[in-house]
Amino acid sequence: MTASLLVLNGPNLNLLGTRDPEAYGTASLDAIETELDASFSSVEFDFRQHNGEGALIDSLHDAHEQNRDGIVLNPGGYTHTSVALRDAVDAIAPPTVEVHLSNVHAREDFRRTSRIAPVCVGQVSGFGAAGYHMAVRYFLQWT
Ligand code: DQA
């Protein structure tokens, strides 16, 4: 294994595949996770998705306690609202890359602000499911 990563998806991302395919594509979350697994045989993945803020925070704490090498996080709508999620990302040791399927900067005004991005290594936005691959590559090549 070269890296142990948490891939954490937030609210409504369990509906990928049927939810607003123009914005988010047609791949299900399960398909995205299966493809990541197949593409990066050297990575040990912990895939999780929660709709609730508390469960997302608990998973971030778990990644810290399990000494994960990094976190790939799509916080969904909490991106734009959650101080508690931001504080959790800031409080833990594993570095986090924020991922969005859609280009949040080309959509409604309220999506242009991320409360999470300032405490992340960086943000990948607008590349669909490929964004998750880009984030994993960061951890393999530059950490
Ligand atoms: C999203 C963008 C968010 O604004 C939205 O609330 C989501 C999905 C994305 O992946 O593009 O749920 O995080």
Side-chain angles (χ1 to χ4, degrees), residues 10-13 16 19 23-24 74-80 99-104 107-108 110-111 125-126 132:
N12 302 306
L13 293 163
L16 285 179
R19 174 191 179 202
Y24 303 122
N74 184 343
Y78 287 133
T79 304
H80 319 294
V99 171
H100 299 286
L101 293 144
S102 64
N103 179 355
V104 288
R107 299 181 65 196
E108 301 96 325
F110 67 85
R111 291 189 207 276
S125 179
Y132 292 93

Side-chain angles (χ1 to χ4, degrees), residues 9 13 21 38 59 82 93 137:
N9 281 278
L13 293 163
S59 282
S82 180
R137 283 194 178 282

Side-chain angles (χ1 to χ4, degrees), residues 2-8 40 43-48 63 66-72 94-95 132 135-140 143:
T2 57
S4 166
L5 303 178
L6 169 66
V7 178
L8 183 59
F40 298 100
V43 178
E44 182 199 347
F45 286 109
D46 180 10
F47 294 113
R48 300 191 190 189
Q66 294 162 350
N67 294 311
R68 299 278 180 208
D69 297 306
I71 299 164
V72 176
Y132 292 93
V136 171
R137 283 194 178 282
Y138 164 73
F139 286 113
L140 291 182
T143 55

